[in-house]
Amino acid sequence: MLATVGAVLAARNDDAEILGVLDLTNRTEAKLGAIRLGNAIQFVANASVLGYDVRAAMVFYGEPGTPSLRAKDCEQLWAQYGVALLQP
């Protein structure tokens, strides 16, 4: 994972943008608005159960140049720090 866990946890309430999520129902890219980083990680980690393909998903947050999170990163973060990511 490129981003450090500490940086992600510190930014969990910051705005994030998710790109590259495919809605399997209509085979189009899902249009997701700005969302808290913690919620974005939760969504990507659980999206396959909800009918989305996140193999190409990227979560952008923070200042330009901050490493984005991939689906695998989100799954690992959610599995280890799920409760902490949702805390205000």
Side-chain angles (χ1 to χ4, degrees), residues 44-45 54-59 69-76:
V44 172
V54 293
R55 288 178 288 177
M58 296 171 40
V59 177
L69 299 173
R70 310 287 187 192
K72 184 82 169 166
D73 300 325
C74 292
E75 291 169 6
Q76 291 173 347

Side-chain angles (χ1 to χ4, degrees), residues 14-82:
D14 293 354
D15 284 340
E17 182 179 9
I18 308 169
L19 298 176
V21 175
L22 180 66
D23 184 337
L24 295 175
T25 304
N26 57 19
R27 299 266 186 228
T28 59
E29 185 170 355
K31 304 294 185 209
L32 305 168
I35 186 173
R36 286 181 57 246
L37 178 58
N39 294 102
I41 292 168
Q42 177 189 28
F43 175 81
V44 172
N46 297 303
S48 61
V49 176
L50 302 172
Y52 295 97
D53 179 350
V54 293
R55 288 178 288 177
M58 296 171 40
V59 177
F60 295 95
Y61 69 100
E63 298 295 320
T66 301
S68 61
L69 299 173
R70 310 287 187 192
K72 184 82 169 166
D73 300 325
C74 292
E75 291 169 6
Q76 291 173 347
L77 286 164
W78 183 249
Q80 294 179 333
Y81 305 100

